[in-house]
Amino acid sequence: MLSKRGVTRSDGLSRLADRAVTLWPGSGAGSGSTALAGLIHDATGDRDRRQAVALYRRATATLCDGVAALAANALWLMGPARAREESGAGLTTVLWETLRLLPPAWMLFRKGGPGYAGLHPGIRPEDDLALFPLLMHRDPDHWTDPLEFRPERWAGVADPEKTPAFMPFGFDGARCWAKHLVVPLAERLLDVALDHRLALRGTPRETHVPLRSLLSVRFEADTGV
C-alpha cells in the first residue's frame, strides 16, 4: 500500500493508508521486517509516523514499480516461446535488452554540467538537457537491428552502461541510486514467474504502452501454462 504512488494524490487516502499499514493484523515489526518498516511501527506519534512512512515510500515506491515494470516488460518481449526457452537460464542479458527497448524512463531532464558536454560538441556545460533514451536506444547508427529483441547482444558485456547511446538509468553522476538493485531483483522476480510458468494469454504481437514516466507493458497472463 505504501509503495503505490497514486495513494499520495489524496491527503485523506494517504493518511488512511499510512494508518492502516501500522494497524494491519500481523504487520508488527519482527525478525522478518526491514529497518525502514521498523521505524513505522516504532513511531511514538503521528508526526514521527508520517516521517517514517514518507521515508519508506520514498525508498521503495520507485524501486518496487521499476522492478515490476522491468520483469513484466521482459516477459512480454520474450513471448511464450522464448519464455519457455529461457526458463532456468540466466536472464541478465534478457533484462539488459529489455532496458534497451523499454527503458524505465523514456525521457530524462537534467541540469547542465561538464559531464554532458562530452556527449556532443554542441552541448555547453551550462546547458540543461532533455535526453530521450527511448530514441537513443533505437538509433541505427549505434545499434544493429535496433528494433529487434536480441538479448545475445549483451553476452560478454562486462559493463552495459558503458555502451555508447545506452543510458537506462541516467547518465554520469545523475544515475538512479537504485540501479544496482533493479536488475538483480527483476531477474529474481522473472525467474519466479517462469518457474510458475507464467505466460502471456494468447500471442499478442502489439500492445499499448501508456506514455508515463515509467514505461510498463500491460497484458493478461496465466500460470501453469
Side-chain angles (χ1 to χ4, degrees):
M1 291 175 69
L2 295 183
S3 67
K4 291 297 183 183
R5 296 180 180 180
V7 171
T8 61
R9 296 172 186 167
S10 165
D11 290 340
L13 184 59
S14 180
R15 287 194 297 270
L16 179 63
D18 297 350
R19 187 61 178 167
V21 166
T22 64
L23 299 176
W24 199 268
S27 64
S31 59
S33 299
T34 64
L36 285 176
L39 290 177
I40 298 174
H41 293 283
D42 294 341
T44 56
D46 290 342
R47 183 174 181 273
D48 288 345
R49 184 180 296 107
R50 284 196 299 270
Q51 289 181 335
V53 165
L55 180 62
Y56 187 93
R57 181 175 281 121
R58 178 65 177 170
T60 62
T62 301
L63 180 60
C64 290
D65 289 348
V67 169
L70 178 55
N73 291 347
L75 192 64
W76 183 79
L77 285 170
M78 284 192 293
R82 189 152 198 156
R84 288 191 294 270
E85 175 186 329
E86 298 287 352
S87 182
L91 296 167
T92 305
T93 57
V94 168
L95 292 171
W96 282 113
E97 181 70 347
T98 301
L99 287 168
R100 184 184 71 84
L101 286 172
L102 289 170
W106 62 275
M107 190 275 285
L108 302 168
F109 181 78
R110 294 290 183 262
K111 301 292 288 185
Y116 297 102
L119 290 175
H120 191 275
I123 300 176
R124 300 168 300 178
E126 64 271 19
D127 290 338
D128 295 339
L129 289 92
L131 306 170
F132 295 88
L134 185 63
L135 301 181
M136 297 165 63
H137 293 181
R138 299 162 184 247
D139 185 352
D141 290 338
H142 290 90
W143 306 93
T144 303
D145 299 324
L147 299 182
E148 295 294 323
F149 181 67
R150 293 176 49 193
E152 59 273 13
R153 73 173 82 234
W154 300 104
V157 179
D159 188 352
E161 288 192 275
K162 290 185 178 180
T163 303
F166 185 63
M167 52 179 67
F169 299 111
F171 178 77
D172 201 42
R175 284 186 172 93
C176 173
W177 62 269
K179 72 185 189 74
H180 297 296
L181 296 172
V182 171
V183 174
L185 289 174
E187 183 172 359
R188 175 59 183 148
L189 181 60
L190 188 56
D191 196 38
V192 170
L194 294 177
D195 283 347
H196 286 78
R197 292 183 292 171
L198 186 71
L200 278 66
R201 186 174 297 165
T203 55
R205 297 182 61 86
E206 296 182 359
T207 190
H208 173 67
V209 181
L211 195 58
R212 300 172 180 168
S213 56
L214 182 71
L215 295 181
S216 181
V217 173
R218 302 288 191 267
F219 57 85
E220 294 183 347
D222 295 303
T223 57
V225 177

